[in-house]
Amino acid sequence: MTAYAIILAAGQGTRMKSKLYKVLHQVCGKSMVEHVLSQVKQLDPDQIVTIIGHGADKVKATLAGQTEFALQKEQLGTGHAVLQAEKILGQKQGVTLVVCGDTPLLKAATFKQLMAYHQKQQAAATILTASAPDPTGYGRIIRDRTGAVAKIVEQKDATVQEAAVQEVNTGVYCFDNQALFQALHQITNQNAQHEYYLTDVIEIFKQAKQTVAAYQMADFSESMGVNDRVALAQATALMRQRINRHLMENGVTLIDPSTTYIDADVQVGADTVIEPGVVLRGQTIIGRDCLIGAHSQISDSLLADRVTVTASYLEGAQMESGSDIGPYSHLRPQAKIGPAVHIGNFVEIKKAQIGKGTKVGHLTYVGDATLGQHINVGCGCVFVNYDGINKHHTNVGDYSFIGSASNLIAPLEIADHAYVAAGSTVTDDVAAHDMAIARGRQVNKKGYYDRYPVAQAAKQAAANEKSKNK
Ligand code: UD1
Ligand code: CA
């Protein structure tokens, strides 16, 4: 069977009250229309056409390479939207699946069931319906006395009786492709919203004595359409539950799934434990046997196996196996943490590579640097990488030792087995087996303490203490 798909994504989404076009609003880190497209693609249709209008360029950029596009210049309704695909699909024979871009929870499996049912019924049109606890806002499925579908009535056009019907149109349909485009030429905009409703083709098919079927899906929530921010939050909550359940079923421990926020494309390996309040975003991939501690946030990062992250913030970073970080550290883009590396607390690393077994324990900034293996970076070191205009690079060789409170002024080469004494501001390269020390010599001034107000205060405090103890 030749199959096509049309995704409706041209609407502005007025009810979102947003400058962002509706279908680009995100549900678990992925725009709604991308969710829809990724499920539609699983059916492997011969052609997918996405109808774009509002924010056409942005929607196009988001979906580029995955679908064809047809422009709906004016948003005159869902029927008018589908008609814009006529140039591409109008002459073709086959079955066409029509899906809205604002129903992010619908699964490929449901589309497949709908298509199979459509085939079995040999229908001209099959509507995917669901029974809604509260049908407000949806088109209602109106059936005749025999139980066959007669028409779909929009909320705004419904009589009180029709509005009471709980079976709703999910906005997903299968059509005989040619019959669809023929019928679309017959719809009018004589309704409450003065729009060309796609749903009106149903009555047209009925009048032409063509078979209209309805396939009712079991789970209404999967069919949820997002028209406002309230529904967006509801859809996000449902998607989050689905993502978390999938991970748990695949061996990931979530201590508290209700406070664990994981984006749709994130991957996590088995036996990894994720504590409460964790946020995993974007294209993050986490290996096996990791521990992601409470309140960590990780975006677009790659973690190998046995990595421990304690209350830290990672973006665009990599951590190799057995490495650990935190609490309260920050990996910025292009931070590459090697195997068995220890990054302690209050450390920021940007665009820097840290070799195997190296330790950066406390209160340190490493930017634009390459660190070898088994280096110890003391407390409070700064890789001084910026002169106000340009960034410069620092290299530190294997087994070197960078004493606490050192400033390494880039560009700088510190060889293997080199030693930087604590408190040094290093401006010149350091050769292997040498020690750099760059600080003023200490001078002790005899009795100077007593020249300072602190001495007076201390004297007073001691006297007070004495009289209290009497
Ligand atoms: C639509 C259905 C309704 C169904 C509901 C399911 C119609 C007339 N109504 O209503 O029966 O219960 O979906 O969620 O079809 N769009 C365009 N161009 C337009 C208008 C809309 O591309 O001119 C796109 C929108 O971007 C959106 C989709 O079509 O992705 C649905 O439009 P929307 O306005 O949300 O329709 P609903 O009122 O929800
Ligand atoms: Ca909608």
Side-chain angles (χ1 to χ4, degrees):
M1 172 196 44
T2 318
Y4 310 99
I6 298 174
I7 300 174
L8 306 184
Q12 156 84 55
T14 321
R15 290 164 282 183
M16 295 297 282
K17 309 237 163 89
S18 176
K19 58 186 171 301
L20 186 65
Y21 314 105
K22 178 163 74 174
V23 297
L24 293 182
H25 277 266
Q26 295 203 339
V27 168
C28 296
K30 201 158 136 174
S31 69
M32 295 201 277
V33 70
E34 281 177 281
H35 278 290
V36 172
L37 179 58
S38 72
Q39 298 300 312
V40 167
K41 273 166 65 182
Q42 287 179 37
L43 306 174
D44 204 18
D46 289 77
Q47 279 177 284
I48 304 174
V49 180
T50 301
I51 313 299
I52 52 176
H54 274 285
D57 291 344
K58 288 221 168 101
V59 178
K60 223 171 167 170
T62 305
L63 306 180
Q66 304 185 69
T67 164
E68 296 173 61
F69 296 99
L71 184 67
Q72 184 192 22
K73 284 197 196 101
E74 270 182 296
Q75 282 62 55
L76 304 178
T78 49
H80 178 258
V82 174
L83 200 53
Q84 309 312 306
E86 190 175 35
K87 265 199 194 136
I88 301 176
L89 298 178
Q91 299 307 312
K92 309 224 160 141
Q93 266 186 359
V95 172
T96 299
L97 178 80
V98 176
V99 193
C100 294
D102 65 350
T103 47
L105 296 163
L106 281 164
K107 294 181 193 165
T110 306
F111 296 150
K112 279 182 192 155
Q113 287 160 16
L114 172 70
M115 291 182 96
Y117 188 78
H118 176 79
Q119 296 284 302
K120 213 175 100 195
Q121 299 297 312
Q122 302 192 328
T126 305
I127 310 156
L128 182 67
T129 76
S131 175
D134 173 10
T136 309
Y138 291 91
R140 310 297 203 280
I141 305 294
I142 308 302
R143 293 176 181 265
D144 64 20
R145 255 167 277 135
T146 68
V149 176
K151 58 179 175 177
I152 301 173
V153 177
E154 290 306 299
Q155 167 93 31
K156 288 184 177 147
D157 303 295
T159 63
V160 175
Q161 229 173 2
E162 287 167 339
V165 171
Q166 284 187 301
E167 189 181 10
V168 299
N169 170 26
T170 63
V172 181
Y173 325 77
C174 262
F175 293 106
D176 172 82
N177 186 64
Q178 291 183 351
L180 167 65
F181 287 104
Q182 273 162 28
L184 281 173
H185 284 288
Q186 299 171 48
I187 61 175
T188 70
N189 65 353
Q190 263 128 58
N191 51 54
Q193 304 185 81
H194 305 292
E195 285 183 3
Y196 293 90
Y197 291 162
L198 172 59
T199 45
D200 283 355
V201 299
I202 300 303
E203 258 186 296
I204 291 165
F205 285 133
K206 292 298 287 190
Q207 277 156 19
K209 304 265 179 277
Q210 286 175 295
T211 309
V212 174
Y215 177 76
Q216 193 178 85
M217 57 191 288
D219 177 13
F220 163 73
S221 63
E222 187 194 319
S223 74
M224 186 177 161
V226 173
N227 296 324
D228 57 28
R229 309 268 184 162
V230 175
L232 184 68
Q234 286 165 346
T236 300
L238 289 166
M239 183 67 80
R240 189 189 308 139
Q241 278 169 25
R242 190 188 287 179
I243 292 165
N244 288 354
R245 168 172 282 271
H246 176 78
L247 289 172
M248 291 186 280
E249 283 169 353
N250 285 284
V252 178
T253 294
L254 304 184
I255 303 292
D256 181 9
S258 68
T259 60
T260 304
Y261 305 84
I262 301 179
D263 278 357
D265 290 339
V266 170
Q267 297 172 35
V268 185
D271 290 315
T272 284
V273 175
I274 300 180
E275 292 186 342
V278 166
V279 182
L280 305 179
R281 291 199 187 90
Q283 305 300 310
T284 294
I285 300 177
I286 295 175
R288 294 167 170 264
D289 302 301
C290 293
L291 173 64
I292 311 299
H295 305 295
S296 294
Q297 292 193 38
I298 304 179
S299 305
D300 300 314
S301 294
L302 216 62
L303 274 58
D305 299 340
R306 298 182 312 284
V307 169
T308 299
V309 177
T310 307
S312 289
Y313 192 101
L314 280 57
E315 40 175 341
Q318 285 181 32
M319 291 183 73
E320 290 191 48
S321 57
S323 58
D324 75 284
I325 185 168
Y328 316 120
S329 283
H330 185 184
L331 295 185
R332 291 172 49 202
Q334 297 179 57
K336 290 186 180 158
I337 309 304
V341 165
H342 167 66
I343 308 294
N345 45 196
F346 304 106
V347 174
E348 174 180 341
I349 297 180
K350 183 221 85 171
K351 204 177 181 188
Q353 212 167 319
I354 314 289
K356 183 176 169 185
T358 286
K359 296 184 169 73
V360 186
H362 343 261
L363 301 151
T364 286
Y365 172 65
V366 184
D368 298 286
T370 306
L371 276 67
Q373 304 186 1
H374 305 290
I375 295 164
N376 189 85
V377 177
C379 176
C381 293
V382 179
F383 282 64
V384 183
N385 59 332
Y386 187 48
D387 60 16
I389 305 285
N390 295 307
K391 301 277 164 65
H392 302 280
H393 198 87
T394 294
N395 290 314
V396 181
D398 299 347
Y399 296 98
S400 286
F401 181 94
I402 311 297
S404 292
S406 293
N407 297 309
L408 307 182
I409 314 275
L412 191 65
E413 297 283 337
I414 295 176
D416 293 350
H417 301 277
Y419 197 102
V420 171
S424 294
T425 292
V426 182
T427 51
D428 301 329
D429 294 350
V430 185
H433 298 278
D434 285 0
M435 179 189 81
I437 178 160
R439 52 168 128 104
R441 296 296 296 183
Q442 179 171 332
V443 181
N444 290 358
K445 305 271 191 187
K446 204 162 175 56
Y448 264 47
Y449 178 84
D450 299 323
R451 293 185 174 195
Y452 293 97
V454 65
Q456 276 302 312
K459 214 167 162 183
Q460 192 59 55
N464 292 348
E465 195 73 8
K466 214 168 166 186
S467 66
K468 229 198 296 172
N469 292 341
K470 260 190 190 153

